[in-house]
Amino acid sequence: MSDNKSKSDHETVKAKQETESTGLSRRGFLGTSAVASVALAGATALGSVVFTRETWAAAAKDAQSKVHVGPGDLDDYYGFWSGGHQGEVRIMGIPSMRELLRIPVFNIDSATGWGLTNESKRIMGDSAKFQNGDCHHPHLSMTDGKYDGKYLFINDKANSRVARIRLDVMKCDKMITVPNVQAVHGLRLQKMPHTKYVFANAEFVIPHPNDGSTFDLQDKNSYTMFNAIDAEKMEMAFQVIVEGNLDNTDADYTGKYAASTCYNSEKAYDLGGMMRNERDWVVVFNIPRVEAAIKAGKFITLGDSKVPVVDGRRTEGKDSAFTRYIPVPKNPHGINMSPDGKYFIAAGKLSPTCTIIATAKLDDLFDDKLKEPRDAVVGEPELGLGPLHTTFDGRGNAYTTLFIDSQVVKWNMDEAVRAYTGEKVNYIKQKLDVQYQPGHNHASLTETSEADGKWLMVLSKFSKDRFLPTGPLHPENDQLIDISGDEMKLVHDGPAFAEPHDCVMARRDQIRTKKIWDRNDPFFAETVAIAAKDGIKLETDNKVIRDGKKVRVYMTSMAPAYGLPEFTVKQGDEVTVTITNIDKIEDVTHGFVMTNHGVSMEISPQQTASITFIADKAGLHWYYCSWFCHALHMEMVGRMLVDKV
Ligand code: CUK
Ligand code: CUA
Ligand code: CA
């Protein structure tokens, strides 16, 4: 982190910029007596102004009317939030900030049976053995740089996975583990001409092969890889070996380039080592060149994996065909493509700057027509302390979170580019305090060509005093800011459970969901195929099929009764209960819980769901419907008799 001297210099610059740009310094506004320092546990003292809850409540009153979505009214935007190390995706209504639904992905979910049902276990594949995940980056598929309403993709850092959610039914339908890497972190999608690839950064450097023979990260066989996944097939497309490590990523509006930040160019294993170099870099990937090499058979594979791998490292100081490394101040974090397609913007984190890389210079960069890679940089605005992520309003402004300053700074991109050439121009438009320590921020439609500059979400990592105390563990604070006018206005505090790293917002007309399931939906097609082999017609049959020690119980459900009020099995049998909900009425979801067996699942209208368990306890066991479906929902029950053997 910067030393005291450079920090105080920076503070002066900051205060000056505020006064010049907005004519209203927040210090001046509050009076110096209100200025206090807030210490962040275990970190630097923060030069932040403390607002009281009362001040904020008064200031927010007018703005609050904007977020009020009355009973029965609908929100304008869908928000998709990552659940962080909680492992799920959450659907929010914006601007009301009402939580609409949760989509279990990398977690086990008791309500829907995700991770318990056979359908979800098939989707999770080999990784179904893991009961945790750590998702950061939810992103929506695009056609022509606009959301197409098909899929949401999300990473799992904890177990190196990428999952896909179908937006028509809001269920995870594919999940893959990225081979030969550890910790899939940054994830972004190809925007043009459509989302053919999901780009996913593996963060940590590991030895290859990772067979226990070495701990050494400096060896040339220790590296990490940039990964491209075929978005439609959800299979690995290719991997690119890189120098250093990889953090965040984004893609451009031509479909040609992706760029990632690297904070550990040192390939170090500890904090001091990772901060040793004055500069790390942004690595730019030339996707058509990678594709051409693979097509020409110029690739390797690693271990058991058949995924084509190309080497994007330098050899004897010379860049590979596939990559260019652009030095940026040490330990950058977020990277974001502006909606006009002009700039990749890398956030400085340890540097108070963002680095602006012009996409117009990338062809020359790869054709070696620039004197040096830094010539692709067209701006490096000084913004404040701890810049982490940037988002855009589609009117030429960028909004960068300042983790250490606990602020969002609004700045003008073209003015920052002009300032870099020496012109006297103040690109800082406003700084707004947020509560507290923001990570990602995200403006409505910001990562599409339709960025509309209406709402800004700021995902604050600390909530401290903003909510009723909840013990040592606090919620995060997702703050909604109105950016439709010249000035940013905070309008809502939204407590969130651990830990939404990132979110996206789509216009409500861009998401088209099904009201009930199609009987031929692929989500449960394999279960339907098994039933067909048993000669079962799922919509009408209620039958028990014995197959050695395996028993398959088929029944329907229709409010308020199961097709089978009882069935009998033998102790030790492996029982699969398959239920088809023949209700056709929207919203009439049934459940199935076998008491004292760890069995629970959702069966929505026209869905088939199945779950397998061992009937290891002789006796009578009640099963019941867990989703309130009818006035006689409590009576929607049945009994399993397990014969003692
Ligand atoms: S990361 Cu968490 S605040 Cu995973 Cu996108 Cu920056
Ligand atoms: Cu069926 Cu409750
Ligand atoms: Ca570093």
Side-chain angles (χ1 to χ4, degrees), residues 6-235:
S6 67
K7 180 169 177 197
S8 63
D9 283 348
H10 165 69
E11 289 277 303
T12 317
V13 171
K14 194 174 64 164
K16 206 166 136 258
Q17 280 169 344
E18 275 166 6
T19 318
E20 283 168 2
S21 63
T22 63
L24 175 97
S25 144
R26 77 202 146 89
R27 284 161 183 84
F29 172 63
L30 276 176
T32 42
S33 63
V35 177
S37 278
V38 185
L40 171 62
T44 333
L46 303 169
S48 228
V49 173
V50 175
F51 285 83
T52 64
R53 281 192 298 277
E54 291 77 8
T55 325
W56 277 112
K61 213 165 202 165
D62 139 72
Q64 265 169 1
S65 61
K66 289 197 153 183
V67 294
H68 183 71
V69 176
D73 279 348
L74 302 180
D75 281 290
D76 294 329
Y77 296 85
Y78 280 92
F80 296 92
W81 258 237
S82 102
H85 43 296
Q86 194 275 342
E88 69 191 4
V89 167
R90 300 167 191 156
I91 312 176
M92 307 285 289
I94 310 297
S96 73
M97 297 288 291
R98 297 182 292 200
E99 185 182 284
L100 308 179
L101 199 80
R102 297 175 168 207
I103 308 170
V105 183
F106 303 113
N107 56 326
I108 307 297
D109 183 56
S110 176
T112 58
W114 186 259
L116 305 175
T117 63
N118 296 320
E119 294 71 41
S120 62
K121 283 180 172 170
R122 281 178 206 128
I123 289 162
M124 296 174 95
D126 290 343
S127 77
K129 62 178 181 284
F130 297 128
Q131 310 205 340
N132 75 310
D134 181 11
C135 48
H136 290 217
H137 301 113
H139 292 286
L140 301 172
S141 60
M142 282 175 256
T143 299
D144 227 3
K146 300 179 183 82
Y147 290 145
D148 60 20
K150 282 166 84 173
Y151 303 119
L152 179 147
F153 299 89
I154 190 153
N155 72 301
D156 169 22
K157 179 168 168 174
N159 297 304
S160 310
R161 290 176 288 184
V162 174
R164 180 172 85 181
I165 287 165
R166 268 174 56 192
L167 295 174
D168 60 340
V169 289
M170 300 293 179
K171 294 283 183 202
C172 172
D173 81 323
K174 296 275 180 192
M175 190 179 290
I176 67 165
T177 302
V178 180
N180 295 310
V181 300
Q182 284 179 20
V184 170
H185 181 231
L187 178 146
R188 225 51 87 76
L189 310 177
Q190 202 175 29
K191 301 170 194 284
M192 298 284 263
H194 66 103
T195 300
K196 181 175 169 198
Y197 296 124
V198 177
F199 298 124
N201 284 340
E203 187 172 342
F204 297 141
V205 173
I206 56 168
H208 293 268
N210 195 13
D211 55 5
S213 62
T214 181
F215 224 26
D216 184 7
L217 299 183
Q218 297 302 326
D219 189 87
K220 82 173 210 330
N221 289 321
S222 292
Y223 51 79
T224 190
M225 295 188 282
F226 174 76
N227 306 285
I229 296 150
D230 182 309
E232 206 52 57
K233 295 192 197 129
M234 276 299 276
E235 289 166 6

Side-chain angles (χ1 to χ4, degrees), residues 557-562 581 583 588-592 603 624-630 632-636:
S557 69
M558 184 157 162
Y562 293 114
N581 183 352
D583 270 307
V588 180
T589 291
H590 298 292
F592 178 83
I603 320 114
Y624 70 92
C625 175
S626 49
W627 289 80
F628 212 111
C629 55
H630 190 275
L632 295 170
H633 156 78
M634 298 305 292
E635 288 83 349
M636 188 164 171

Side-chain angles (χ1 to χ4, degrees), residues 423-462:
E423 207 180 310
K424 278 234 163 329
V425 45
N426 193 332
Y427 43 80
I428 305 262
K429 300 299 153 196
Q430 189 195 354
K431 289 189 174 185
L432 179 74
D433 285 10
V434 293
Q435 288 69 34
Y436 303 89
Q437 269 69 50
H440 272 274
N441 61 354
H442 188 96
S444 38
L445 303 176
T446 189
E447 53 193 29
T448 73
S449 60
E450 299 183 299
D452 66 4
K454 295 223 166 94
W455 296 108
L456 172 65
M457 280 306 318
V458 175
L459 306 182
S460 302
K461 300 288 188 187
F462 295 73

Side-chain angles (χ1 to χ4, degrees), residues 263-266 273-277 280 330-331:
Y263 64 82
N264 190 9
S265 62
E266 300 88 347
M274 291 181 201
M275 301 201 300
R276 190 168 300 128
N277 292 350
D280 292 297
K330 67 162 72 177
N331 293 38

Side-chain angles (χ1 to χ4, degrees), residues 136-137 185-186 247-248 333-334 388-389 439-440 461 499 501-502:
H136 290 217
H137 301 113
H185 181 231
D247 191 2
N248 277 292
H333 183 55
L388 288 189
H389 294 281
H440 272 274
K461 300 288 188 187
E499 176 187 328
H501 280 259
D502 197 4

